[in-house]
């Protein structure tokens, strides 16, 4: 395996491992409880430790496919048809897009449930608009309930869904609530039904951890957990002293492993920066009439590598 391919594979592995550790860290119930208190109206103003008990079972992490027809799958058990969140056939369905974190939460009446999906994005994507994807995910959370949470025509049994998106690398710390609205165009007839079934919360996290401030309480917590700059002790100190989150073994392990991966990400970023800088030197020398031999001596690159960089620059132009 060539050095460049090996480096690319290792860099991808680091990013993939970081993503998985970030999801695992965010899926801790006490962390989810802090997020619910700030995003779901049912729990606003409550103590996150109390909200923790409303989260049912263990959250599914990177297990449930988003694709239509696969989010809930019927299977036979003891002669009965059972429909549940699909977490099977991982090998067969390898490569499918999956919800990052998905879980059920009981509301305070102790009977009703809401379905919550939490997605973590390192950067806002360039190939599509992130809000479009959030709408699709929330719609899937609604449609996949048929034959699992409601049957036949019992649409009044549809559970509320919340798709919460934590997006890092945003220009500012922000949060938007996207939901259905009813604009009456003619008349005043009241249509029966719930307008609160589909809910999307977009949370933007800037690169810098915000200062301790009630306004940015959730952003400071998420930014601390996901930061690639803070040390293990800094992170654990903030979540324990400011958020009263017990630093149990699992959280301590998740934070430690993420910090180790963060070091690899920082090193990868420095290497990429150096590569970009060297490529720009090659392009500048070529544009200023230096010979291939002179560029080789100045950059310690082979003629083939130099030609590739020059050709890629021409294509970009």
């Amino acid at each position: 395996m060539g050095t460049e391919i090996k480096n690319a594979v290792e860099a991808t592995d680091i990013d993939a491992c970081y993503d998985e550790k970030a999801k695992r860290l965010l899926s801790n119930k006490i962390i989810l409880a802090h997020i619910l208190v700030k995003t779901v109206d049912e729990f606003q103003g409550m103590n996150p430790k109390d909200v923790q008990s409303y989260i049912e079972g263990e959250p599914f992490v990177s297990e449930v496919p988003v694709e239509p027809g696969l989010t809930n799958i019927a299977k036979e058990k003891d002669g009965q048809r059972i429909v549940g969140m699909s977490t099977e056939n991982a090998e067969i369905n390898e490569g499918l897009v999956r919800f990052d974190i998905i879980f059920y939460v009981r509301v305070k009446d102790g009977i009703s449930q809401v379905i919550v999906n939490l997605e973590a994005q390192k950067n806002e994507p360039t190939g599509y608009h992130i809000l479009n994807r959030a709408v699709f995910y929330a719609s899937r959370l609604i449609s996949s309930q048929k034959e699992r949470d409601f049957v036949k025509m019992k649409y009044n049994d549809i559970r509320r869904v919340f798709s919460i998106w934590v997006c890092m690398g945003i220009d500012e710390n922000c949060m938007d609530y996207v939901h259905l609205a009813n604009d009456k165009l003619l008349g005043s007839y009241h249509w029966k039904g719930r307008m609160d079934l589909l809910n999307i919360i977009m949370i933007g996290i800037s690169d810098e951890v915000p200062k301790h401030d009630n306004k940015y309480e959730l952003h400071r917590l998420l930014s601390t957990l996901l930061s690639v700059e803070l040390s293990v002790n800094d992170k654990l100190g903030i979540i324990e002293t400011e958020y009263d989150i017990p630093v149990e073994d699992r959280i301590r392990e998740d934070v430690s492993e993420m910090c180790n991966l963060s070091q690899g990400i920082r090193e990868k970023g420095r290497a990429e920066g150096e590569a970009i800088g060297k490529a720009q030197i090659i392009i500048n020398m070529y544009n200023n009439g230096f010979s291939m031999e002179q560029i080789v001596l100045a950059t310690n690159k082979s003629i083939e590598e130099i030609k590739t960089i020059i050709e890629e620059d021409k294509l970009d132009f």
Side-chain angles (χ1 to χ4, degrees), residues 228-245:
V228 296
E229 300 296 335
L230 293 180
S231 69
V232 173
N233 289 336
D234 287 339
K235 289 187 177 190
L236 295 178
I238 289 172
I239 65 176
E240 189 170 27
T241 59
E242 294 183 20
Y243 295 91
D244 195 25
I245 295 175

Side-chain angles (χ1 to χ4, degrees), residues 213-224:
D213 184 328
N214 289 338
K215 185 178 179 182
Y216 296 109
E217 190 175 7
L218 178 58
H219 289 77
R220 179 168 170 81
L221 173 61
L222 294 172
S223 189
T224 296

Side-chain angles (χ1 to χ4, degrees), residues 15-27:
D15 286 337
C17 288
Y18 179 88
D19 289 345
E20 285 307 309
K21 291 300 177 185
K23 294 173 194 176
R24 177 181 158 88
L25 180 57
L26 292 174
S27 70

Side-chain angles (χ1 to χ4, degrees), residues 59-86:
F60 298 111
V61 181
S62 300
E63 293 183 61
V64 181
V66 177
E67 273 73 1
L70 292 177
T71 305
N72 79 43
I73 286 182
K75 48 188 178 287
E76 293 288 330
K77 184 177 181 181
D78 299 329
Q80 295 185 334
R81 182 174 181 272
I82 299 171
V83 179
M85 291 286 188
S86 170

Side-chain angles (χ1 to χ4, degrees), residues 203-215:
I203 304 173
I205 305 292
S206 67
D207 290 332
E208 187 174 339
V209 177
K211 294 180 179 178
H212 186 62
D213 184 328
N214 289 338
K215 185 178 179 182

Side-chain angles (χ1 to χ4, degrees), residues 26 35 118-121 164-168 203 205 222 226:
L26 292 174
I35 295 171
L118 178 65
E119 298 290 321
Q121 299 282 301
I164 304 170
W165 292 70
V166 178
C167 303
M168 294 171 273
I203 304 173
I205 305 292
L222 294 172
L226 301 173

Side-chain angles (χ1 to χ4, degrees), residues 21 32 46 53 65-66 71-72 81 92 124 143 224 242 263 266 271 314:
K21 291 300 177 185
L32 293 175
M46 290 181 63
S53 63
V66 177
T71 305
N72 79 43
R81 182 174 181 272
I92 295 173
E124 192 168 2
S143 65
T224 296
E242 294 183 20
Q263 177 64 29
R266 287 196 297 272
K314 288 179 180 177

